[in-house]
Amino acid sequence: MTASSGTRPRAERLPRSERRAQLVDVASDVFVEFGYHAAAMDQIAERAGVSKPVLYQHFPGKLELYTAIVSEACEEVVASLETAMASSTVHRDRVAATIGVWYDFVAEGGKSYRLVFESDLTNDPHVRTLLDKFNFDAATVIAERVTEDTNIPLDAALVIAGSLVGASQVGARTWMSSDSSLSRAEAVALSSSLLWRGLSGLPVAVSPNTAD
């Protein structure tokens, strides 16, 4: 009997952490290709070359597997935003670096960004809570720096940061989905120029040369 299309040979034994990473990668492919509801744990196990019991040793169910993938992707983006905010003392450069995180996510995240932004499960309460937390955490990283560098209170800074996050996400997704002729650098520069016009008007509480 020949193997069905898309199956892989039985996988070699791997350390637990490596096996988990492999299962996450394979499951991401399946979820993107078929959507959450049509994807099956049997299918994921077969593509990964493992038995279903092995898959269930790592993830007790399909929802847990899906949310693990989304959660890890979100955590990576938030960590990248923290790095971007710490990358320069020049405010305009930090804005560009922050916007660049979202363009990198859609350009390089591939499967992950589709599960975060284009999931057929966003109405599930657990997934919705996870994505809402992601957006809040992303905004908080930016808002804390805005508050530190200006006289703006945190609740107001969160509104500003949330606007930056939302505009950056939509701009990056539009660039990716429209088959744009613009390079990543050109698209980031355009978004940065637009958003910096508003952000540059915030009151600066640090030395003037950092606002350039």
Side-chain angles (χ1 to χ4, degrees):
M1 179 181 294
T2 60
S4 60
S5 177
T7 62
R8 300 178 182 180
R10 284 292 166 187
E12 61 182 276
R13 296 182 67 87
L14 295 174
R16 184 173 180 82
S17 61
E18 292 182 24
R19 174 65 70 205
R20 186 183 189 281
Q22 182 231 6
L23 293 173
V24 163
D25 185 59
V26 171
S28 297
D29 285 334
V30 174
F31 285 133
V32 168
E33 184 176 351
F34 296 99
Y36 175 82
H37 296 291
M41 293 292 270
D42 284 348
Q43 188 178 28
I44 294 168
E46 186 176 20
R47 283 202 183 188
V50 301
S51 64
K52 279 183 67 177
V54 169
L55 178 57
Y56 281 109
Q57 285 174 9
H58 291 268
F59 303 99
K62 186 167 72 168
L63 181 60
E64 289 80 6
L65 173 54
Y66 185 89
T67 54
I69 295 169
V70 173
S71 180
E72 288 179 12
C74 292
E75 288 171 2
E76 289 176 6
V77 172
V78 171
S80 294
L81 288 171
E82 291 172 342
T83 299
M85 294 305 293
S87 65
S88 176
T89 58
V90 178
H91 299 329
R92 185 166 189 166
D93 291 347
R94 282 206 301 248
V95 170
T98 299
I99 293 170
V101 168
W102 299 104
Y103 280 83
D104 288 341
F105 183 45
V106 301
E108 301 170 8
K111 298 169 289 188
S112 298
Y113 108 83
R114 295 188 182 280
L115 295 180
V116 171
F117 292 134
E118 301 174 4
S119 169
D120 58 348
L121 200 63
T122 53
N123 289 328
D124 176 87
H126 186 74
V127 175
R128 184 70 265 157
T129 298
L130 178 62
L131 295 177
D132 287 345
K133 181 180 183 300
F134 166 52
N135 285 317
F136 180 79
D137 288 347
T140 298
V141 170
I142 300 167
E144 288 176 346
R145 184 54 63 94
V146 170
T147 296
E148 180 181 326
D149 290 349
T150 70
N151 295 316
I152 297 174
L154 183 59
D155 56 350
L158 278 169
V159 173
I160 294 168
S163 300
L164 175 61
V165 167
S168 300
Q169 287 180 2
V170 174
R173 291 166 62 193
T174 301
W175 168 72
M176 187 69 177
S177 63
S178 64
D179 195 24
S180 175
S181 62
L182 296 175
S183 68
R184 181 262 189 202
E186 290 170 331
V188 169
L190 281 173
S191 294
S192 299
S193 178
L194 173 65
L195 294 172
W196 176 245
R197 287 180 181 274
L199 293 169
S200 61
L202 298 179
V204 178
V206 293
S207 59
N209 62 356
T210 62
D212 293 337

